[in-house]
Amino acid sequence: MSLERIKELTKLLNQYGYEYYVLDNPTISDQEYDRLMQELMALEEKYPEYLSPSSPTQRVGGVVLDAFKKITHTKSMLSLGNVFSKEELINFDQRIQESLQKPVEYACELKIDGLAVSLVYKLGELDYGATRGDGTTGEDITHNVKTVKSIPLTIPYKGDLEVRGEIFMPKKSFNELNELRKKDGVELFANPRNAAAGSVRQLDSAIAAQRKLDAFLYMVPDALDYDCITHYDSLQWIASLGFKTNPHTRVCQTIEEVWAYIEEYSAKRSELPYEIDGIVIKVNDIELQNQLGYTVKVPKWATAYKFPAEEVITKLKDIVFTVGRTGQITPNAVLEPVRVAGSLVQRASLHNEDNVVSKDIRIGDYVVVRKAGDVIPEVVRPVIERRDGSEKKFEMTKVCPKCGEPVSREEDQAAYFCHNPHCDSKKIEKIIHFVSRDAMNIDGLGEKIVEQFYNQGFIKNIEEIYYLKNHVNEIIELDGFGQKSMDNLIEAIEKSKQNSLEKLLFGLGIRGVGAKMAEVLAARFKTMEALMEAKYVELININDVGETICEAILDYFREDENKALIRQLKELGLNMTYLKETNFRDDTPFSNKTVVVTGTLEKYNRNEIKELLKQLGANVTNSISKKTDYLVCGKDAGSKLEKAEKIGVQVITEEEFERMVSE
Ligand code: IVH
């Protein structure tokens, strides 16, 4: 009897909650809702054995964690490329049409200014919610997700399902929250996004529960597996499951229609009850999305139109020069500190001489400053009308600001370089990069300390980091270093020797090899030795490796100095192999082959075969190109099969695939 009532109350409260929070259309009064909630709480207290983790009573918060658990995403959570003008939008469309050889339909959505969340449901219940983190691993925020009333705790679909979307704080909740904080004398949140992020990253879910967060869901990874043909279908499907989707999404047939949508919502932006920072444009057909595929960082089938950034005026006090690790000399604006888009700006890169000269930026000018992509500050232009004649014309430095050697500029390049191989700045920057977080991640060796140790002769180059332990006695004599902090530092340095290959590879600072590319290379070659011996064809055949990077890698390993550095690091005991858990094999017919799967297979679903191929050492991609070695083809294959046949990619059936595996 009581179990039945619990079930009935749960159902009613879920339904009323859905009507209130998702549909924005309540059908009962708040008092009635509260009364039912009280009744359910009382029953659950009396019969704790009937309490379900997805009961609506679990939304009030109260779970307090010690630390966040890490969650590895089933599929990377990527960010989006940007366009800032109609022209760039048209280019985006043209690239897509060129690649697919036909016009496509787009789904246009509001870009909600909150933080990305991944929700995973198993057997119809919310299993966990996670933040995006670095895209590969995020943090488990299930306890806080449950307090977001518009996120369903149970859904009628009982298979495994992941949906992704954005948690945000409505403008009204944000204003109320800041009002309260003002009264309490606590620091105000700069914007609703920070407030939402701050709430979701709390260990105590009672805080998130008070914060009135909301969520729009905007994506189902691998939607084809759920028989959704278009992105728009997938949104309608998840809406039918009880998720809140944004009502302003619109399918557009041409890029002109997309632009009209952008103009319409640029105008309506301020009337919306939540903040948006742009418009997201996605190829609607999911099969076409898969054909277009991804770059290392972003999908090629979507982009974000970013609204123009907030601009402010401030005084440019000086222009100073810095030297990067490649020796590149960069002019930088020293600004009268000014607040832009929520933070204080006092420095901005001016990039190179041409940029300063073409904009005619002078020392002493009032300048327009904004944040490009709302992150990096940028000097847009001088305010000519405010000049009083005291401004000084810009002159590019003739010598390196650090070593004093003359600098020069290649004919077809914008940048000046210091070519002195012994230039201190270059060396310091190289060391700073080597120890930085995404590289060897040596805690306790911040930029200032590296510079100090360099100037005092303790670390003059990368290998000497590992000899720092010989100087401990001298260093603790200096101000600011104790035995304890030095012990920690030496321990961090020793520990870094165990890092997996990609960290070292990124730390070397090979031109074009960023953290993601280092990961791709390390996963593929497994050892430094194998990478050093890699031939041009092996490199260029890797998805994501273009010609420039390929040349840069080969050039790097041709230099004697670099080879010597790697030899010394090896002798010092640094690990030179890829340590991440991969069961990848290099002895199967699919090892190091690029494979695409299409059509319906009998024995495997899409994820299973992809996973199996990866374990067999294959690089599985979504679209057919000249780099594809095999297309594994099931029933009802479409354009991929056509394309494979056209460009001569070897097509294998499911049986052939199995035969090759068993052999
Ligand atoms: S789609 C693979 N759609 O924008 C594509 N993202 O700059 C994944 N965002 O990290 C993103 N509204 O947090 C998509 N309607 C929308 C969005 C949206 C906001 C956020 C999201 C993402 C960031 C990318």
Side-chain angles (χ1 to χ4, degrees), residues 129-198:
T131 61
R132 174 168 179 267
D134 64 3
T136 313
T137 35
E139 279 171 335
D140 186 338
I141 50 161
T142 315
H143 63 306
N144 289 331
V145 163
K146 282 187 174 174
T147 69
V148 181
K149 307 277 201 320
S150 56
I151 294 180
L153 301 179
T154 56
I155 53 171
Y157 177 78
K158 301 301 172 204
D160 288 0
L161 176 66
E162 177 183 0
V163 289
R164 292 180 179 176
E166 199 87 351
I167 293 191
F168 63 95
M169 186 176 285
K171 289 177 187 168
K172 185 161 168 271
S173 318
F174 170 73
N175 292 333
E176 286 168 3
L177 174 65
N178 262 355
E179 278 302 316
L180 256 177
R181 292 174 76 87
K182 203 166 166 185
K183 270 195 207 127
D184 292 345
V186 268
E187 201 184 334
L188 303 189
F189 284 112
N191 52 49
R193 173 164 37 93
N194 287 0

Side-chain angles (χ1 to χ4, degrees), residues 78-80 109-112 116 132 166 218-219 280 282 299 301:
L78 300 174
S79 65
L80 290 167
E109 291 173 4
L110 305 184
K111 188 166 185 302
I112 312 297
R132 174 168 179 267
E166 199 87 351
Y218 52 63
M219 187 171 131
V280 183
K282 302 174 179 170
W301 46 264

Side-chain angles (χ1 to χ4, degrees), residues 68 115 131 141 143-145 148 167 195-203 208 213:
F68 290 105
L115 64 148
T131 61
I141 50 161
H143 63 306
N144 289 331
V145 163
V148 181
I167 293 191
S199 311
V200 157
R201 290 209 68 267
Q202 293 283 343
L203 292 165
L213 299 167

Side-chain angles (χ1 to χ4, degrees), residues 22 215-218 234-236 238-239 243-249:
V22 178
F216 283 123
L217 283 307
Y218 52 63
S234 71
L235 295 179
Q236 285 187 314
I238 57 174
F243 292 100
K244 186 160 176 169
T245 54
N246 190 281
H248 301 285
T249 300

